[in-house]
Amino acid sequence: MASEMMAALEQLCGERHIDQLYLLDRLEQSLAKSYADVLHLPFGARVTIDRATGHVYVYELVPKGEPDPETGEYAEFDEVDVTPPDTSRIAAQHAKAEIRAIVRNAARVQIYEEFSQRVGDIITGTVLQTTPDFTIIKIREGVEAELPHFDQRRFPEERNERPAGERYSHNQRLRAIIIDVRDPNSTQPVVRGERQRPPIVVSRTHPDLLRRLFELEVPEVYDGVVEIRSVAREPGVRSKVAVSSNDDRLDPVGACVGPKGSRVRTVVSELRGERVDVVLWSDDPARCVASALSPARVSRVIIDPETNYATVIVPDDQLSLAIGKEGQNARLAARLTGLHIDIKNESLAAEVLRDLPRAAEPAGDDELGEAHRCEYVGPSGIQCRNMARPGSRFCGVHEQMAAADVSSDPDSLI
């Protein structure tokens, strides 16, 4: 039976790519602990497995000499053969447990080596199982990921990576972003139930998920022509994305929105109806703040670079729109720009503006909001969608036409 066990071990090690000597050493250590308990050996046991025949020998450790006066431990031991008659059966049981543990650990190491380099990448999988605390997602055969959504009040040390209101069903297709891969050999304290949970951790609330979705849906973003400069999210509710173009002839907002909104609509659908606002990024903080507060119209933006504050003046009828429901629009704009934003309506800010020195005031409306677009408005009341020429309020098509209209009828331009 012992020789059969060794033959089976050798075959299994070949199939699972496990070092046979490493497995035998693990078996000897495991058997030594078990026999010390079963045979009631107070100072422990040492087990050896014959590498050729597979016979198991158990030796009781008997201390000799005097113990260390400081630690009370013995330094030398005599070994007494106490091998029981059924060692092969017990060894076979331990071999099964050790092989399972080694194979499981080897699979985790392989997953860690592959996916630790892919943190920040988007994955597509199917839902295998949902529990009150996390959802298991199958990435491919033999590789699973975990999307945690623990109750932060009960488990404040755990993650919640599921947007509010989202629920998942079995076999549902899901996209998420990899945020962590647990190292099986790490010395860090283990998380709750780590050994039973997949090592890959994914998220549906991370702002980079929005970046990756736009890279998939917008070729200009993937190619680097359009750059996503900043993202602010309140997962499941609303997001703002600030974009810029490396090509002056390309409108970055239009590229991300797509024809009739088809591209951004696909992103919104993947995020389960989360509202996504795409705004134009500017290196000028005043223009950037005015754009980030879209869809509200902004009259004036005053930047204090020392305190990192932006005072925004809006028309009276735009105050509630600029602030948003429960302050959401202003909060997202502040995250997007990295500035503290204070919004005032024109009536309340009139005295403050009157006392401000001209040098502290940014340019007026023609340099904010829609100033990057041609300001020509046709007879039908529709504003031109072309980009304005540098140093001009109009595009190349309407610049001369606007000049002619102004000379004949100054009120024809808005």
Side-chain angles (χ1 to χ4, degrees):
M1 182 175 179
S3 59
E4 293 177 358
M5 184 187 75
M6 290 299 295
L9 283 178
E10 184 176 356
Q11 180 181 357
L12 186 60
C13 288
E15 293 175 353
R16 300 287 187 175
H17 305 288
I18 301 173
D19 186 357
Q20 186 176 359
L21 295 179
Y22 170 72
L23 176 59
L24 289 173
D25 288 339
R26 288 278 300 267
L27 281 176
E28 289 176 345
Q29 296 172 13
S30 177
L31 287 169
K33 295 179 182 177
S34 297
Y35 277 117
D37 295 335
V38 171
L39 301 178
H40 304 289
L41 306 179
F43 295 98
R46 189 176 73 86
V47 173
T48 61
I49 301 176
D50 192 306
R51 298 325 194 234
T53 63
H55 288 291
V56 179
Y57 301 95
V58 183
Y59 301 94
E60 180 184 1
L61 299 179
V62 180
K64 62 180 181 179
E66 296 296 329
D68 190 312
E70 295 183 359
T71 62
E73 298 180 354
Y74 291 91
E76 298 181 357
F77 295 89
D78 287 330
E79 297 181 356
V80 179
D81 190 348
V82 291
T83 304
D86 57 349
T87 54
S88 297
R89 178 180 60 82
I90 298 177
Q93 294 174 351
H94 278 263
K96 292 179 182 178
E98 288 297 324
I99 289 170
R100 291 194 191 100
I102 291 173
V103 170
R104 185 167 56 249
N105 187 69
R108 283 181 171 264
V109 169
Q110 184 179 6
I111 291 174
Y112 177 77
E113 291 177 351
E114 178 183 353
F115 285 90
S116 61
Q117 308 299 321
R118 295 183 55 189
V119 173
D121 288 355
I122 194 170
I123 58 101
T124 302
T126 55
V127 176
L128 287 181
Q129 180 186 4
T130 300
T131 72
D133 295 328
F134 52 84
T135 297
I136 303 300
I137 301 173
K138 178 182 178 182
I139 299 177
R140 65 166 188 261
E141 194 64 37
V143 180
E144 298 174 355
E146 169 200 276
L147 193 152
H149 39 79
F150 284 83
D151 186 346
Q152 299 293 285
R153 294 170 297 181
R154 295 174 55 204
F155 307 107
E157 74 284 355
E158 291 284 352
R159 295 183 172 105
N160 182 7
E161 303 295 340
R162 181 181 67 180
E166 284 195 1
R167 297 295 182 270
Y168 313 121
S169 56
H170 182 64
N171 278 340
Q172 178 181 339
R173 174 189 161 279
L174 207 61
R175 278 178 174 168
I177 188 171
I178 300 175
I179 58 171
D180 189 21
V181 183
R182 300 189 184 100
D183 185 356
N185 300 319
S186 174
T187 58
Q188 297 293 329
V190 297
V191 299
R192 180 182 176 87
E194 179 177 331
R195 298 304 177 188
Q196 289 74 39
R197 291 156 60 179
I200 302 174
V201 183
V202 298
S203 172
R204 293 265 301 170
T205 62
H206 201 282
D208 282 347
L209 176 62
L210 209 53
R211 295 178 184 270
R212 299 294 177 258
L213 290 174
F214 271 106
E215 287 179 1
L216 292 176
E217 300 299 331
V218 183
E220 292 85 352
V221 175
Y222 182 81
D223 294 336
V225 180
V226 173
E227 183 178 356
I228 297 178
R229 303 294 294 271
S230 182
V231 177
R233 281 191 76 187
E234 290 195 356
V237 184
R238 188 177 178 185
S239 300
K240 283 182 179 286
V241 182
V243 296
S244 64
S245 175
N246 296 323
D247 187 345
D248 296 337
R249 299 169 295 178
L250 178 65
D251 178 12
V253 176
C256 292
V257 172
K260 298 182 180 180
S262 58
R263 292 175 175 176
V264 74
R265 195 181 305 121
T266 304
V267 174
V268 170
S269 175
E270 183 60 44
L271 296 177
R272 308 296 180 81
E274 179 179 319
R275 180 180 172 183
V276 179
D277 297 339
V278 183
V279 300
L280 185 68
W281 174 270
S282 175
D283 293 330
D284 180 3
R287 293 184 181 181
C288 193
V289 169
S291 181
L293 286 171
S294 174
R297 288 184 290 105
V298 174
S299 299
R300 184 170 298 177
V301 179
I302 304 163
I303 303 293
D304 186 349
E306 295 183 359
T307 60
N308 210 32
Y309 264 80
T311 302
V312 181
I313 312 301
V314 299
D316 292 354
D317 61 344
Q318 296 288 305
L319 181 62
S320 60
L321 184 61
I323 296 174
K325 183 180 180 181
E326 298 179 354
Q328 185 184 75
N329 193 55
R331 188 164 57 248
L332 287 173
R335 293 180 191 171
L336 196 72
T337 59
L339 297 171
H340 300 278
I341 298 178
D342 182 18
I343 302 176
K344 301 179 182 294
N345 60 349
E346 291 179 341
S347 300
L348 295 177
E351 295 183 2
V352 177
L353 290 176
R354 190 181 306 116
D355 297 335
L356 283 175
R358 298 299 297 176
E361 299 180 4
D365 290 339
D366 31 336
E367 293 191 16
L368 294 177
E370 299 292 332
H372 63 285
R373 286 173 54 186
C374 174
E375 296 186 11
Y376 181 81
V377 179
S380 61
I382 299 176
Q383 183 179 351
C384 174
R385 295 186 178 273
N386 294 334
M387 301 289 288
R389 297 184 65 182
S392 173
R393 298 170 58 189
F394 307 99
C395 66
V397 176
H398 296 118
E399 190 169 22
Q400 295 181 353
M401 185 184 303
D405 290 345
V406 169
S407 61
S408 60
D409 184 3
D411 296 330
S412 62
L413 294 179
I414 298 177

